[in-house]
Amino acid sequence: MMNNVPATSLSQSVRAAILLIVLGYILIYLLPLGLRPLYTPDETRYGQIPYEMIQTGNWAAPHLVGLRYFEKPPMGYWLNAISIELFGKNNFAVRLPSALSAGLSAWFVWLLLIRLGFSRTTAITSAAVYLSMAEVLIVGSIAVLDTPFSFFLTGGMSLFYLALKDPVRRRERFYLVASGLFFGMAFLTKGFLAMVLPGLVILGYAIWQKEFSIIKKSLWAAAAGIITILPWSIIIQIREPDFWHFFFWHEHIRRFMEPNAQHMEPFYYFLMYMPVFAFPWLAYIPASISGLKQRATNPDLIRYLILWIVLLFLFFSVSKGKLATYVLPIFAPLAAYITAGIIEYLKSGKTRLFILGALINTLTLLILLAFVVYRQFDDPGKSLLKTTYLRIVAIVITVVPLFAFITLVVPHSSLARLTPVPLLKKEKHLITPDTMLVSDASIVRAVAWVLDRRDIYLLSKGELKYGLNYPDAKGRYLGINGLNALLKKVKQGSFKRKIAVFCQDPCPKISTAMNDTDAKYISNQNFSIWVLNPNKSQQ
């Protein structure tokens, strides 16, 4: 069928598709990065920790507001710190590594397909499908560690499979070592998952294919991964011997197994939300399965993709702790699988399941648009090949502006609950360098980011509980009792420093403590600030 399309026409189509994807990526992923204030807790955390690395020169042990923060290794912070060094302390710099990770993941989807016998158009289309998936679009525009982790995992998994299929021994070893390098960087981003997840897929693939030499080859990747993580692992062990105990037991064993794990959700959580996470492409899975049953360009790769999707999905479903971003690593293989299947299905001349997917998406869109409105008020002449790809491109072209539109029309009140940054910037002039800062743990990252201060006393411990246990953090936890004692000293005249207290509403205990003072009170109904100057009566 490809012969029906002139080579020059196909080449022009490929160039046009690449140009559209690049322009769409710039427009949707890159340009809006600096337009929204940083959200709390994640974005302010992943801005503040890298910024403190730059300030202190300590790039080995992550700290948050001057306290040890050992929930993750440093790679994600390093990427953000490099971005801040290059582009300055701003929202764009904090989010850029996440957006670049999404774009580079799409490149690996393209690379995997183009190297394994698929046409250039199929490979390019698959990259576009990946970038237009709902979760990829949303998570790729915010500062979280899941996007770089997913990128490193996607790179490692893709390169490993390319190694298995390369007949040239030198290139095979190169791909194996490169895949290990990516797995090592994934480990340095989120830890032991970078070992477990590829291990599950590689072992499963070896069993399915009955090629146990694959396990032997994986030792090259494992060795390269160990070499990648070893320098930092030794440094952190010397500087902070307790890091591995906390990181392994708290961030991995407890989160995966314990009944009171953080972000606890039922087993079916991801199954329930996948239609939303993978919108609009999950509706085309029946067409894709049908197409690949009839004819698959590379059946071995399809098996690899299936294991990559299913085993990771089951692993995250079994885990007690769940967040929507955890399943991001399955979207690259899902995009490749769906695209390859849809194209085979449409090439066969069938359209019924494709139309069914379109109808499901139309109904979903109507429901979503109705919800948005509610919240605001609280072709025969073309060749078969061209027609096939144009149908898929039409979905990409329509869904990307849709998500941009939804981002713009989300009620301002909903976003305001997630970011104290605008209020902090507006009232920043009230804070002097010698002002004593006291904050609830829920917004302390934003306070540190906006005011460029780490010497902040805490009214609650939150995720900083572990760091507060160290001797050099003694006195940093004030609590409500400590705040009451401090205010008593103010009334007695024995404490003269200006005090600023920050909290996320509702904060009744703090309000009760501050109501008996003549502090200036500022609130936007989501966040509150009290500024008390013992040396000057409040106006």
Side-chain angles (χ1 to χ4, degrees), residues 297-464:
T297 299
N298 191 324
D300 286 352
L301 175 60
I302 299 305
R303 291 178 183 178
Y304 189 75
L305 295 175
I306 290 172
L307 289 170
W308 187 349
I309 296 164
V310 173
L311 293 180
L312 266 60
F313 186 85
L314 289 175
F315 177 88
F316 289 121
S317 295
V318 169
S319 173
K320 297 290 184 182
K322 298 178 179 68
L323 282 176
T325 54
Y326 288 177
V327 291
L328 190 61
I330 75 170
F331 286 96
L334 187 62
Y337 180 89
I338 289 175
T339 306
I342 289 176
I343 288 172
E344 295 297 345
Y345 181 78
L346 292 175
K347 281 182 179 180
S348 70
K350 298 179 180 179
T351 58
R352 184 173 60 87
L353 293 176
F354 189 84
I355 293 171
L356 175 63
L359 290 173
I360 292 172
N361 283 336
T362 301
L363 179 62
T364 305
L365 282 176
L366 290 173
I367 293 172
L368 287 174
L369 290 173
F371 176 74
V372 169
V373 172
Y374 169 76
R375 286 302 303 270
Q376 291 285 37
F377 294 94
D378 200 51
D379 149 37
K382 300 184 185 299
S383 71
L384 178 61
L385 182 63
K386 284 189 175 181
T387 304
T388 294
Y389 290 110
L390 284 174
R391 284 170 173 161
I392 299 174
V393 170
I395 300 169
V396 174
I397 291 174
T398 54
V399 76
V400 172
L402 171 70
F403 278 105
F405 171 75
I406 289 177
T407 301
L408 292 174
V409 300
V410 168
H412 178 74
S413 58
S414 298
L415 297 178
R417 297 188 191 101
L418 299 175
T419 175
V421 170
L423 178 65
L424 292 169
K425 286 185 174 180
K426 181 181 177 183
E427 306 301 335
K428 184 179 179 179
H429 66 281
L430 297 173
I431 311 301
T432 56
D434 64 336
T435 301
M436 179 179 179
L437 305 182
V438 183
S439 177
D440 183 14
S442 62
I443 64 167
V444 68
R445 314 158 203 81
V447 174
W449 175 260
V450 174
L451 301 182
D452 202 1
R453 296 270 296 272
R454 301 194 301 275
D455 56 332
I456 305 171
Y457 293 86
L458 292 161
L459 293 167
S460 58
K461 296 182 178 181
E463 63 182 357
L464 295 170

